[in-house]
Amino acid sequence: LMIIMSATSGINIASSYKTFALKQPNLNSEAFLALVGSIAALGGNAAGRFFWGAMSDKFGFRRCFLTLTALQASTMLVYRKLAERRLTFALGTQAMLFCMSGNFVMFPAHCFRTFGANGAAVYSFLFTAFGSAALLGPVLTKALLAKGGYALAYNVFAALSLLALLLGSLV
């Protein structure tokens, strides 16, 4: 559940930041959005894997996961506001991919630390949660956009991140 609730936000932004941005007059530029995607892929997704892996090794899964989900929830809550300026939109998109990558890097290591050699078998089961988030996220997004637009969608994703944070605090 933690993976599904946390990963949905990042996967959603990774796959739809451009669709959202093209509807914003100040962001509607193919060249700019290609740059945002490139920066978010490198400075967010790639850099985040190194960062969250190192931090998880140093401070443990729980503390890092709680930090990640708090950052993710707060970014989702203000993502529409961040879209008012190009720089803040780029930073917000990068932050979301930064968090998304943390989910992908911290859970396998945590499974290994928790279950030892059997961690790979456990993680193979848990990995289906990423697939579920990738499949269910667009369906949820479409339904939320139809009901209340991006405000509702991003607030629900923030709430999912906060629920993941709550579950993580109980583990």
Side-chain angles (χ1 to χ4, degrees):
L1 287 174
M2 289 166 53
I3 293 171
I4 290 173
M5 288 187 287
S6 182
T8 301
S9 297
I11 291 170
N12 176 273
I13 294 299
S15 65
S16 68
Y17 79 93
K18 189 173 179 181
T19 303
F20 167 70
L22 288 171
K23 295 177 180 165
Q24 314 305 313
N26 58 321
L27 302 176
N28 191 348
S29 163
E30 291 288 337
F32 170 70
L33 294 174
L35 179 63
V36 168
S38 299
I39 290 170
L42 293 173
N45 190 8
R49 290 174 190 261
F50 290 106
F51 175 83
W52 291 113
M55 292 299 104
S56 181
D57 288 345
K58 185 172 183 173
F59 298 109
F61 172 82
R62 184 172 187 247
R63 184 184 291 174
C64 291
F65 185 76
L66 297 180
T67 301
L68 179 148
T69 51
L71 173 61
Q72 187 170 263
S74 58
T75 303
M76 282 277 60
L77 285 172
V78 298
Y79 195 69
R80 289 179 310 117
K81 183 79 173 155
L82 295 174
E84 292 177 4
R85 304 229 184 291
R86 284 184 169 202
L87 177 61
T88 55
F89 175 74
L91 291 172
T93 303
Q94 182 175 348
M96 289 306 299
L97 270 68
F98 186 75
C99 291
M100 180 188 72
S101 69
N103 283 300
F104 280 100
V105 76
M106 287 193 299
F107 276 96
H110 184 62
C111 282
F112 180 76
R113 283 192 293 270
T114 303
F115 301 104
N118 294 326
V122 172
Y123 185 72
S124 65
F125 172 75
L126 290 179
F127 193 75
T128 61
F130 288 113
S132 298
L135 293 172
L136 296 175
V139 173
L140 178 61
T141 301
K142 185 177 180 179
L144 293 171
L145 289 176
K147 287 231 181 247
Y150 284 104
L152 178 62
Y154 292 162
N155 286 338
V156 167
F157 290 133
L160 287 173
S161 296
L162 290 173
L163 286 171
L165 184 146
L166 177 63
L167 280 177
S169 69
L170 298 174
V171 176

